């Protein structure tokens, strides 16, 4: 196994705590930094934040921090946690790579994926524009509306309804403007006429005053105090549709949004959550229309796996079978767990072709579902157990 990809909040916090006295380097600028005050944040993403300290002013905003310890190379994937605090960062992923001299290896090297297949990406935008909401897409829509409503309610948002729409049917000035700008829209309080327009959010000043007043009046008539609209895209980055989150309370009924909209539990984590759900939602639609599956390998050794079991790398021997494939293509493969075959389905994230004959070709896959209900949790449990055992 080449790398451990760590995403669990407790595990990431433990790693940062052990790096408290270690100097980390930004591989892009070669500047040196230290990580101080790592904390867990009880937001919708279960984040880990830290303060970044440097001997120089923080003019650069690193996206990666690296250090080499006695047995491992550690890389932190990071991003600003708050646009108004230049030294507060969030860890999106921690990668630990055992050094060649280290004897500590995970037994994942003996696990093989079978019947690895790919299909061309279905053009959902064309399907929807030609046929509208088909029965298949309507079924997926209904499932996801319920899923999003329940998920947001469980995380402390007061949700009246979640609508999922497509811009091909945009028939209002607001939706047409959002389709053009491709920006999120956030009405914080319809009664007090408060919109959020920072950080590339859509500003209602671009619309006619009378039309904006009609939007507010209509919301008040329907007892809607706040509305968040977030656009989503196909795997080929074509604008498809939007999530519309409606609430009977200001700021979606969430205290963190009301008190500190750009804080650690504010609008940033909520947008990341919706973006991630949108990616999975689009995959479900594209997967439903995927056809012409082609087997690219009978089997391939598993290269690495993320801690949540949702990301996996697979070695592929035949270069020609993957060289012309495109990111976003549906992928399926089987893994035997407890003597039972489990078929996993996901999206092609990356292709790595070997430079020499001694190296291996590989693909990276984002996994979204399994043919058996317990498959995803079993894979996540295996990955977490493996990493907890081997990474110390």
């Amino acid at each position: 196994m080449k790398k451990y990809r760590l995403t669990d909040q407790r595990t990431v916090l433990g790693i940062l705590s052990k790096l408290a006295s270690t100097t980390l380097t930004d591989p892009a600028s070669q500047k040196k930094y230290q990580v101080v005050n790592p904390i867990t944040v009880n937001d919708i993403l279960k984040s880990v934040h830290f303060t970044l300290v440097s001997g120089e002013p923080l003019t650069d905003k690193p996206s990666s921090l690296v250090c080499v310890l006695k047995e491992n190379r550690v890389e932190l994937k990071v991003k600003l946690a708050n646009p108004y605090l230049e030294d507060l960062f969030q860890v999106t992923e921690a990668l630990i790579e055992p050094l060649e001299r280290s004897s500590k290896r995970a037994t994942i090297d003996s696990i093989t994926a079978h019947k690895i297949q790919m299909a061309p990406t279905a053009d959902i935008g064309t399907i929807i524009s030609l046929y509208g909401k088909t029965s298949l897409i309507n079924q997926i829509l209904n499932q996801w509306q319920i899923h999003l409503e329940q998920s947001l309610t469980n995380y402390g948002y007061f949700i009246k309804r979640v609508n999922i729409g497509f811009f091909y049917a945009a028939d209002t000035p607001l939706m047409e403007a959002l389709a053009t700008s491709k920006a999120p829209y956030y009405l914080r309080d319809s009664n007090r006429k408060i919109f959020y327009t920072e950080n590339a959010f859509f500003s209602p000043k671009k619309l006619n005053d009378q039309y904006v007043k009609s939007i507010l009046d209509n919301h008040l008539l329907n007892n809607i105090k706040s509305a968040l609209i977030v656009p989503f895209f196909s795997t080929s980055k074509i604008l498809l549709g939007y999530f519309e989150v409606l609430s009977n309370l200001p700021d979606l009924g969430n205290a963190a949004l009301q008190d500190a909209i750009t804080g650690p539990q504010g609008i940033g984590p909520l947008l990341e959550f919706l973006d991630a759900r949108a990616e999975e939602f689009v995959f479900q639609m594209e997967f439903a229309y995927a056809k012409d599956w082609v087997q690219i390998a009978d089997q391939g050794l598993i290269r690495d796996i993320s801690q949540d079991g949702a990301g996996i790398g697979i070695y592929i021997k035949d270069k020609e079978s993957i060289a012309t494939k495109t990111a976003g293509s549906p992928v399926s493969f089987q893994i035997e767990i407890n003597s039972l075959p489990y078929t996993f389905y996901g999206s092609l994230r990356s292709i790595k072709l070997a430079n020499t004959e001694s190296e291996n070709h590989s693909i990276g896959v984002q996994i979204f579902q399994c043919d058996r209900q317990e498959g995803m949790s079993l894979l996540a449990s295996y990955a977490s157990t493996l990493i907890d055992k081997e990474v110390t």
Side-chain angles (χ1 to χ4, degrees):
M1 182 174 177
K2 284 191 171 183
K3 292 180 181 178
Y4 303 96
R5 297 182 177 273
L6 310 176
T7 52
D8 175 70
Q9 187 184 49
R10 179 176 57 85
T11 307
V12 173
L13 178 65
I15 291 171
L16 261 66
S17 299
K18 292 177 181 178
L19 296 177
S21 59
T22 303
T23 298
L24 294 96
T25 304
D26 176 2
S29 67
Q30 297 302 311
K31 290 186 177 180
K32 308 296 182 182
Y33 299 94
Q34 283 195 315
V35 169
V36 299
N37 300 327
I39 59 169
T40 59
V41 180
N42 190 30
D43 62 10
I44 199 168
L45 298 173
K46 300 297 180 185
S47 306
V48 177
H49 289 182
F50 66 89
T51 301
L52 191 64
V53 176
S54 174
E56 307 173 17
L58 288 173
T59 54
D60 296 330
K61 301 297 182 287
S63 60
S64 177
L65 297 170
V66 175
C67 70
V68 176
L69 304 179
K70 184 178 180 180
E71 293 186 339
N72 298 314
R73 177 184 182 272
V74 180
E75 180 177 1
L76 303 177
K77 300 290 187 180
V78 302
K79 56 181 279 188
L80 271 180
N82 186 328
Y84 300 104
L85 296 175
E86 65 176 17
D87 60 349
L88 183 65
F89 281 75
Q90 170 188 337
V91 181
T92 58
E93 185 180 52
L95 290 82
I96 294 185
E97 185 174 9
L99 302 176
E100 290 300 320
R101 63 176 179 271
S102 172
S103 61
K104 188 172 289 185
R105 295 289 180 179
T107 55
I108 197 170
D109 288 330
S110 64
I111 296 179
T112 302
H114 299 274
K115 298 180 180 178
I116 306 162
Q117 298 183 328
M118 282 193 201
T121 302
D123 188 350
I124 293 299
T126 299
I127 291 171
I128 292 173
S129 62
L130 288 176
Y131 306 108
K133 295 180 184 178
T134 64
S135 59
L136 191 56
I137 289 178
N138 266 326
Q139 181 182 350
I140 298 171
L141 278 174
N142 293 334
Q143 293 172 347
W144 271 87
Q145 284 178 233
I146 295 171
H147 167 67
L148 288 173
E149 288 169 3
Q150 291 177 341
S151 297
L152 292 170
T153 299
N154 291 340
Y155 279 109
Y157 297 87
F158 190 88
I159 305 303
K160 178 180 181 180
R161 186 170 67 253
V162 172
N163 296 321
I164 303 177
F166 298 98
F167 282 117
Y168 85 94
D171 58 358
T172 67
L174 174 60
M175 288 305 173
E176 290 173 357
L178 294 180
T180 300
S181 65
K182 302 180 182 179
Y185 162 94
Y186 187 23
L187 169 61
R188 298 184 62 181
D189 189 340
S190 60
N191 189 44
R192 298 170 62 191
K193 304 177 183 179
I194 299 175
F195 293 85
Y196 183 66
T197 57
E198 303 292 331
N199 300 314
F201 272 71
F202 179 82
S203 173
K205 292 181 180 179
K206 298 177 181 179
L207 300 172
N208 179 277
D209 289 343
Q210 191 63 34
Y211 176 68
V212 174
K213 183 179 183 302
S214 71
I215 292 176
L216 297 173
D217 290 343
N218 186 60
H219 281 327
L220 291 173
L221 187 64
N222 290 285
N223 194 29
I224 295 171
K225 297 297 192 301
S226 54
L228 173 67
I229 302 176
V230 180
F232 60 77
F233 304 80
S234 70
T235 52
S236 54
K237 307 305 179 186
I238 296 173
L239 183 69
L240 281 182
Y242 56 87
F243 291 156
E244 181 181 35
V245 184
L246 303 173
S247 173
N248 295 134
L249 296 176
D251 287 304
L252 305 181
N254 182 272
L257 284 178
Q258 183 176 9
D259 296 338
I261 190 170
T262 58
Q265 299 180 58
I267 198 70
L270 176 58
L271 286 184
E272 285 187 51
F273 172 80
L274 291 174
D275 285 343
R277 299 290 75 77
E279 184 180 27
E280 188 174 352
F281 167 68
V282 170
F283 168 78
Q284 296 290 352
M285 290 191 295
E286 294 184 342
F287 177 71
Y289 281 94
K291 58 182 181 178
D292 300 327
W293 289 86
V294 175
Q295 183 161 304
I296 62 169
D298 181 55
Q299 63 181 28
L301 284 174
I302 293 179
R303 183 192 69 200
D304 57 21
I305 187 170
S306 64
Q307 189 173 18
D308 58 3
I312 200 165
I314 306 173
Y315 288 121
I316 303 294
K317 289 184 178 180
D318 182 15
K319 176 181 178 181
E320 301 304 319
S321 66
I322 60 174
T324 59
K325 304 301 181 185
T326 57
S329 299
V331 180
S332 74
F333 58 90
Q334 284 188 356
I335 297 179
E336 191 171 284
I337 303 175
N338 299 328
S339 301
L340 288 174
Y342 286 75
T343 301
F344 294 92
Y345 303 96
S347 179
L348 179 65
R349 282 291 172 270
S350 62
I351 298 174
K352 185 177 181 181
L353 300 178
N355 295 319
T356 65
E357 291 185 2
S358 61
E359 296 178 326
N360 294 297
H361 314 298
S362 65
I363 58 172
V365 180
Q366 178 77 20
I367 304 172
F368 289 113
Q369 66 185 54
C370 180
D371 65 337
R372 299 177 188 267
Q373 186 175 3
E374 73 278 14
M376 295 295 290
S377 60
L378 281 175
L379 193 60
S381 177
Y382 169 76
S384 184
T385 301
L386 177 71
I387 288 170
D388 284 345
K389 179 181 177 182
E390 298 293 340
V391 178
T392 58

